[in-house]
Amino acid sequence: MSELSGVPEFAATSIADVMPTRVSDVPAGGASSPLWLDLSARVGTSVDVATLPTLRGAGLLVGMSSLSPGDLSTFAAAHPGQIDALLSSPPSSTAVTEWWAGLDADRRATMAGAVPQLVGNLDGVPARERGLANRRYLAHTVAEVTDALATATGPERIRLEGELAVLHQVRDALRPNEDGPRRSLILLDTAAGGRAAIALGNPDTADYLSYLVPGMNYGVREQLVNWATTADDLYAEQRAVLARRVAHGGPRATVATIAWIGYETPDLFSVGGLDRAEAGADFLEDSWLGVRSARGAEQPYISVFGHSYGSTVSLVALARGSVGVDALVMVGSPGSGIQSAAELAVAGGNVYVGEADWDPAVNSAFFGSDPGAASYGAHTLGVDGARDRVTGAWLDGALGHNGYFTPGSESLHNMALIGTDNAKLATSGSE
C-alpha cells in the first residue's frame, strides 16, 4: 500500500463487488437483480403516493424521490413509521450511494428538506449532506419535543425530558473548540438513550479517517461532548504528525475523526454480556460500509480506536469480515472472544494493544483472550511514557482506565502515528 493511497489490501475489486446485497434491495417478486441496479431508469417516473406504503428498501427510496416536494412532505407526515422502518432495515450502502448519485441537486434538496431524518442517517449518503440534513432534523426535533413538554405529565414527561437532554448534548457537541475543525452530525437517533456520531473535519475527502468507539457509561446523553473533545484531541495530534512529515519533505494530507457513539453503550449492570457489542458491531459495520461506498475509488485510510467495551464492539465487527479497516487500536480492553489478531479484517496485521498500569480492565480476559498477550499476535502500543522518536521530547505515561487519550501522552501520540500510517515511528514500550 502506498502511503497515501488509502486503498486497503482487501479491496482488490470494485467497492460494489465486495458489499453484500440486502434482502430489502431485491424486488418483492423474487427477481435476482437488486432494485438499485435500475435506479437511473426509475428516478423521475411518476409514482402513485398511495402505493408507497407497500414499497420497501431501495424501491421506497426511489418512489419517495420521484414525488413533488408537496407530495413528499405529505407522505412523510402521514407515514412516519415508514421512515423509521426504512432506517431500521435500510438498503445496502451501495444501493443508497447509487440512488443518491442518480438524483439531481433539486431532488436532493427536496429529500433533505422533507425527510431530513432519512437523508441524515442513511449510510452511503456523503457525510456533508448527512450533516446538513441532521442539523435540520436536530433543530426540528428540539422544537417538537420542547412543545410537547409544555403539556406532558407523568411517564411521558420523563421520557420527553430524557430525549431533550440527549438533543441538548448533541447540540453542544456540535460546537467546535477554539481553532478546532468544523463539526458535522452524521448520525442522530433519539430512541433508547440515543445514538449519535460527530465528525470533525471532512470524511468525504480526508486521506485518513479515524473512528473513536467508546465503552461503558459513554452514552450520548452523558458523554457525547466529552467524546467529541477526545476526537478533537486526536485530530489535533494527527494534524501535528502530518505537519511534521511535510516539514521533512513528505506529502500533504488531510484527516478527519469521528466521535462515534452509534450503539447503546452498557452500564455497570449490562456490561457483562455481549448483546450490546453484537448490536454495536452491526451499526459499526454499516457505518464503515457507508464510508467505503460513498468514497468510491477515493478510499480513505480507516483506523479504529476502541476503548474498553468499545474494543469489544470493534473486535466483533472486524471478526465478521464483511468490511475491513487499515488499522485497529485497542486500549483498556476487557478481552477478546476472537483468539488471534490474524482473524480480524485489518490490513497488514495493523492491530495494536495498549495496557496501562492501574487499569483494572486489562489482563482480565473477561470476554476471552487477552489481546495484549504475545500469543494474540497484536503489536504493543507504548503507553507508559517515552521519548518521541523524532524530536526526543518526553511523552507522558497513561495511568488507569481513562488516561489513554490524554494530550501530551505517549498513548495519544502513538495513536496519531498509527492513524496516519506512520506506525513505524510509534513506540512499543520496549524502547
Side-chain angles (χ1 to χ4, degrees):
M1 183 189 304
S2 64
E3 189 171 30
L4 286 178
S5 67
V7 180
E9 295 174 359
F10 48 82
T13 57
S14 71
I15 200 70
D17 291 336
V18 299
M19 292 194 179
T21 297
R22 298 190 182 185
V23 173
S24 59
D25 298 334
V26 179
S32 60
S33 298
L35 287 174
W36 64 270
L37 291 176
D38 191 35
L39 288 181
S40 60
R42 290 174 168 268
V43 173
T45 60
S46 60
V47 173
D48 183 356
V49 177
T51 67
L52 283 184
T54 67
L55 299 178
R56 58 179 181 156
L60 179 57
L61 284 180
V62 171
M64 292 174 66
S65 58
S66 68
L67 297 177
S68 68
D71 284 344
L72 180 57
S73 295
T74 299
F75 172 79
H79 300 279
Q82 195 82 357
I83 307 300
D84 291 337
L86 186 54
L87 287 171
S88 296
S89 183
S92 68
S93 52
T94 45
V96 172
T97 298
E98 292 281 347
W99 164 73
W100 190 255
L103 303 180
D104 60 26
D106 288 341
R107 289 189 184 276
R108 291 179 184 179
T110 296
M111 289 293 297
V115 282
Q117 176 191 8
L118 179 63
V119 173
N121 294 285
L122 273 177
D123 291 309
V125 173
R128 180 181 181 277
E129 281 86 354
R130 291 178 67 168
L132 293 172
N134 273 331
R135 280 186 181 269
R136 184 179 294 113
Y137 174 48
L138 174 63
H140 171 77
T141 308
V142 167
E144 187 177 64
V145 173
T146 300
D147 287 346
L149 267 172
T151 57
T153 59
E156 177 64 7
R157 183 173 184 84
I158 294 174
R159 183 190 70 80
L160 289 171
E161 287 174 342
E163 186 173 350
L164 191 60
V166 168
L167 295 168
H168 285 168
Q169 180 83 182
V170 171
R171 185 182 60 190
D172 292 344
L174 279 170
R175 299 191 181 106
N177 291 341
E178 185 178 356
D179 300 325
R182 183 181 182 276
R183 299 185 180 190
S184 56
L185 180 61
I186 59 172
L187 170 66
L188 177 60
D189 179 2
T190 61
R195 300 189 305 119
I198 304 289
L200 293 84
N202 188 351
D204 293 330
T205 60
D207 298 294
Y208 301 104
L209 178 61
S210 299
Y211 275 76
L212 287 81
V213 185
M216 186 176 72
N217 294 330
Y218 257 69
V220 173
R221 176 176 177 176
E222 299 81 14
Q223 296 290 350
L224 184 60
V225 169
N226 290 337
W227 201 232
T229 298
T230 299
D232 200 315
D233 291 336
L234 180 60
Y235 178 96
E237 191 71 14
Q238 289 181 337
R239 285 284 304 273
V241 165
L242 292 177
R244 192 167 69 185
R245 190 171 72 180
V246 170
H248 286 79
R252 295 185 180 276
T254 57
V255 300
T257 58
I258 297 177
W260 191 86
I261 309 184
Y263 77 113
E264 186 179 2
T265 59
D267 56 21
L268 185 61
F269 301 102
S270 58
V271 74
L274 288 174
D275 53 331
R276 298 199 184 189
E278 294 284 351
D282 290 341
F283 291 126
L284 197 52
E285 280 184 287
D286 287 345
S287 186
W288 295 336
L289 286 165
V291 169
R292 294 290 189 201
S293 179
R295 290 292 298 265
E298 300 295 329
Q299 289 293 301
Y301 186 98
I302 297 180
S303 300
V304 181
F305 300 88
H307 176 242
S308 190
Y309 194 87
S311 70
T312 307
V313 174
S314 303
L315 284 166
V316 172
L318 289 167
R320 294 172 179 174
S322 70
V323 60
V325 301
D326 298 284
L328 169 66
V329 175
M330 295 176 279
V331 289
S333 177
S336 168
I338 295 85
Q339 300 303 308
S340 168
E343 299 177 41
L344 304 172
V346 181
N350 294 325
V351 179
Y352 295 81
V353 178
E355 299 181 335
D357 290 339
W358 303 102
D359 183 347
V362 304
N363 301 316
S364 68
F366 188 85
F367 291 113
S369 301
D370 175 12
S375 59
Y376 197 82
H379 303 286
T380 298
L381 182 84
V383 300
D384 296 330
R387 294 200 177 276
D388 187 311
R389 283 185 166 179
V390 175
T391 67
W394 178 253
L395 300 167
D396 293 334
L399 286 176
H401 191 57
N402 294 316
Y404 296 100
F405 294 93
T406 303
S409 68
E410 177 190 12
S411 176
L412 184 68
H413 183 64
N414 280 339
M415 291 183 196
L417 290 169
I418 293 164
T420 55
D421 198 14
N422 285 285
K424 62 184 178 295
L425 297 177
T427 51
S428 64
S430 60
E431 289 82 2

